[in-house]
Every structure is written in C-alpha cells, then in structure tokens.
C-alpha cells in the first residue's frame, strides 16, 4: 500500500475539517455546559454556607458521637431478640417489595420498549408514567402508604414495590431495546407470531439481565427499608429512630452493626448469584 501524498492529505483534511475541528455549535454547547456546572457548584457552596471550619468542626463532633457509640451494646438479651426480629422484618420488606415490583414491571417494560410497541403515543405515555413513579423517592411513598394502609411493615413493602416499579420498568425496557434482533427474526421466519417473538426471541436474552438487576435491588432495598422504617413503615428503622431520639448511642451502634452485617451477607450472596448468571449467559 503506497503512502498518500501531501496533496491527498490536504484534500482529506479539507473534506473532514468539520469533524476534526468540531462545529462552532458543539464548542459553544460544551463551553456553556461547563460554565453552567461551575456556576451551579459555586451557587451550591454559597447557598449551603459551606466553609472549611464547619467541615473540620463537624469531624470533631462526629468523633465525639463515635466515642459515645463504643462499645456497641443492645442493652439486654430481650432487646437483642427484638432487634434481630426487626432486622429480619426489614429483609422481608425489601425482598417482597423487590420481587413484586420485578413481576409487575415485566409487562410495563415490554410496553415501554420501542421494538415491541411501535406506537409512539403508547410508548410516550408508558415512559412518562414510569418516570413519574420513579421520580418519587421510596421515603415519600412510605409516607403515602402509611396514611393509606396504616403503620407497619405492609406499608413499607408497598413503598419499596411502588418505588421500584418505575425503576424496573425503565431498566427492562432498555434491556429489551438492546436485545439482538436475530433470534426474533429467526422466530418470525418459521411462522411465529408476535407473542412467540417475545417468548422465544426476547425473553431468553433479557431474563439473565433482569435476574441480575433484581438481585442488586434486593441488596440495595435492604438499606432503603431501614430508612422507611423511621416514618413508621416497620422494620429495624423504627428502633433506630427511637434509640437516636432517646440518645442510646451504644444501641444505635449495635443496630448499625446489625444492618452492616445483613447488607454484607446479602451482597455476598447476590454477587455470587450474579456472577453465576453472567457465566451461564456467556457460556
């Protein structure tokens, strides 16, 4: 292969000058975005009254609280049993809420996927509905469900389910849209209908992705369930809020330790399961 001449190089550079140098509009947009982000950063620093002295003094106060929390102590064996039962209640809230959301979001994910529902209006309303549900935090949903069904773990489970419904629907739709078209075309070529395309062409591709996402959300929602318990939605969060209000810092540290152990165990199990699922998919 012969090297290009200077004239040919100049012609190539002239032909693709826009792609090499970039358009003026793109440069202005980039500069404007950076300026807006810097302005937002400065505005945040001034509005939140962030100073180095407050940060350093805050670390000093944090050290005082850590000293008050040591050693972790539940108070009594009866108290320990109550805390452990509340922890398992929190895990149950996270597990049931996540699994129900995963099941209910599956048809919504197909409706929101462009390669399944071609109607733009249906696709638009499906996506915006999922965005609306996902835009409300689980803590807000907990406050809503506590007023609807009353205090207790049932409200917490409904809060986790509702918050995850929008997130799962969006993730499912994106996984379905990214699926390979060849299996679907293969099902169509042998006379399969629309339902057959979904069942045999799309589902086998997206189910491993869905399973991995569900496992991750179970781990994540175990932490979220402790927060929603503070507003009366059951679980260990209720006792965490109570011990903080009564300044029982050693019990607070014991509860935090229980939560950390539970999250670590769930993370270990879910990680192993996710790797197993990914390995089977790759094979």
């Amino acid at each position: 292969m012969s090297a290009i001449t200077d004239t040919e190089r100049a012609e190539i550079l002239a032909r693709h000058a826009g792609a090499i140098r970039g358009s003026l509009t793109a440069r202005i947009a980039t500069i404007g975005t950076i300026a807006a982000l810097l302005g937002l950063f400065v505005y945040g620093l001034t509005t939140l009254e962030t100073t180095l002295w407050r940060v350093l003094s805050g670390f000093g106060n944090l050290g005082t609280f850590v000293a008050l929390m040591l050693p972790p102590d539940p108070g009594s064996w009866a108290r320990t049993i109550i805390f452990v039962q509340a922890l398992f209640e929190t895990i149950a809230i996270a597990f049931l809420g996540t699994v129900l959301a995963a099941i209910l979001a599956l048809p919504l994910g197909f409706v929101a996927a462009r390669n399944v529902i071609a109607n733009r209006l249906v696709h638009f309303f499906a996506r915006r509905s999922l965005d609306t549900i996902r835009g409300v935090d689980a803590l807000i949903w907990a406050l809503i469900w506590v007023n609807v069904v009353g205090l207790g773990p049932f409200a917490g489970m409904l809060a986790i389910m509702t918050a995850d419904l929008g997130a799962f629907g969006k993730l499912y739709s994106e996984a379905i849209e990214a699926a390979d078209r060849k299996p679907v075309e293969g099902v169509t070529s042998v006379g399969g209908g629309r339902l057959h395309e979904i069942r045999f062409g799309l589902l086998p591709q997206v189910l491993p992705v869905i399973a991995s996402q569900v496992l991750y959300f179970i781990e994540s929602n175990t932490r979220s369930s402790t927060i929603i318990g503070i507003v009366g939605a059951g679980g260990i969060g209720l006792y965490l809020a109570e011990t903080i209000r009564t300044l029982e810092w050693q019990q607070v540290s014991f509860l935090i330790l229980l939560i950390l152990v539970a999250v670590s165990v769930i993370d270990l199990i879910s990680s192993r399961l996710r790797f197993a699922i990914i390995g089977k998919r790759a094979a």
Side-chain angles (χ1 to χ4, degrees), residues 107-124 126 176-177 194 198:
L108 298 178
F110 280 100
V111 172
R114 291 187 182 91
N115 55 341
V116 176
I117 303 296
N119 189 298
R120 290 186 178 182
L121 188 61
V122 174
H123 177 266
F124 175 81
I176 293 167
E177 289 176 349
R194 193 61 172 168
I198 295 174

Side-chain angles (χ1 to χ4, degrees), residues 212 215-220 222-223 259-277:
S212 178
L215 289 171
Y216 172 76
F217 269 76
I218 290 175
E219 171 207 334
S220 177
T222 304
R223 297 188 297 269
I259 296 169
L260 289 176
V261 170
V263 171
S264 298
V265 172
I266 294 172
D267 177 48
L268 179 63
I269 296 173
S270 64
S271 296
R272 291 182 178 273
L273 290 175
R274 283 200 301 270
F275 281 121
I277 291 170

Side-chain angles (χ1 to χ4, degrees), residues 87-110:
L87 177 65
F88 280 106
E89 185 176 88
T90 297
I91 296 172
I93 290 171
F95 180 78
L96 288 176
T98 306
V99 171
L100 287 175
I103 295 172
L104 295 175
L106 189 59
L108 298 178
F110 280 100

Side-chain angles (χ1 to χ4, degrees), residues 78-92 235-236 239 258:
R79 197 72 169 164
T80 303
I81 294 173
I82 292 173
F83 289 161
V84 172
Q85 288 177 342
L87 177 65
F88 280 106
E89 185 176 88
T90 297
I91 296 172
I236 201 169
Y239 295 97
L258 277 182

Side-chain angles (χ1 to χ4, degrees), residues 88-235:
F88 280 106
E89 185 176 88
T90 297
I91 296 172
I93 290 171
F95 180 78
L96 288 176
T98 306
V99 171
L100 287 175
I103 295 172
L104 295 175
L106 189 59
L108 298 178
F110 280 100
V111 172
R114 291 187 182 91
N115 55 341
V116 176
I117 303 296
N119 189 298
R120 290 186 178 182
L121 188 61
V122 174
H123 177 266
F124 175 81
F125 280 110
R127 281 295 181 98
R128 298 296 76 78
S129 299
L130 293 175
D131 290 342
T132 301
I133 297 173
R134 192 176 67 256
V136 180
D137 189 75
L139 185 62
I140 307 301
W141 283 117
L143 289 170
I144 294 172
W145 282 115
V146 161
N147 285 278
V148 173
V149 300
L151 298 171
F154 183 55
M157 185 268 292
L158 290 176
I160 294 294
M161 181 196 71
T162 310
D164 284 357
L165 188 64
F168 276 133
K170 181 179 185 296
L171 292 172
Y172 291 177
S173 64
E174 291 178 350
I176 293 167
E177 289 176 349
D180 190 0
R181 288 290 304 171
K182 292 180 180 178
V184 177
E185 293 171 356
V187 173
T188 306
S189 65
V190 295
R194 193 61 172 168
L195 292 178
H196 295 96
E197 293 176 0
I198 295 174
R199 169 62 183 85
F200 299 103
L202 290 175
L203 270 181
Q205 297 186 68
V206 301
L207 279 180
V209 179
I210 289 174
S212 178
Q213 291 169 346
V214 171
L215 289 171
Y216 172 76
F217 269 76
I218 290 175
E219 171 207 334
S220 177
N221 286 333
T222 304
R223 297 188 297 269
S224 300
S225 299
T226 63
I227 302 301
I228 64 175
I230 294 176
V231 297

Side-chain angles (χ1 to χ4, degrees), residues 23-43:
S23 65
L24 179 61
T25 304
R27 289 199 296 270
I28 292 175
T30 302
I31 295 172
T33 301
I34 295 173
L37 291 175
L38 287 175
L40 182 61
F41 181 76
V42 173
Y43 174 77

